[in-house]
Amino acid sequence: HDALPISGQNFMAYLARYRVDKAKELLRLGNNRVYEVGEMVGYKNPDYFRKIFKEYIGVSPSEFIKGK
């Protein structure tokens, strides 16, 4: 049988949220470039990472860094 979604989310949405939350932590440290952070959290394509980040957070990773 199918497992219940975590907090009403499917697994892919949960994973994306987890990755974005980890990316926020790494971006706050300021030690890496945006594309490096994307790779660290599992996104090989920097443009896709920026798109997902903005979708969940409402600003791009670069804007997030400026506003931290």
Side-chain angles (χ1 to χ4, degrees):
H1 74 41
D2 292 332
L4 292 173
I6 302 165
S7 301
Q9 298 177 356
N10 68 36
F11 178 74
M12 293 308 292
Y14 172 80
L15 181 60
R17 170 52 87 180
Y18 179 82
R19 287 174 165 174
V20 167
D21 287 344
K22 286 295 174 190
K24 284 170 47 181
E25 292 174 19
L26 293 167
L27 290 169
R28 282 189 188 110
L29 295 175
N31 299 330
N32 300 291
R33 295 180 175 271
V34 170
Y35 78 89
E36 292 172 328
V37 170
E39 288 179 357
M40 289 175 175
V41 298
Y43 292 103
K44 301 286 185 227
N45 181 325
D47 292 329
Y48 186 66
F49 168 64
R50 287 182 188 95
K51 176 183 182 250
I52 294 296
F53 190 94
K54 187 165 187 172
E55 189 176 300
Y56 278 83
I57 305 304
V59 295
S60 72
S62 300
E63 293 168 329
F64 178 81
I65 292 167
K66 291 176 189 168
K68 69 176 180 173

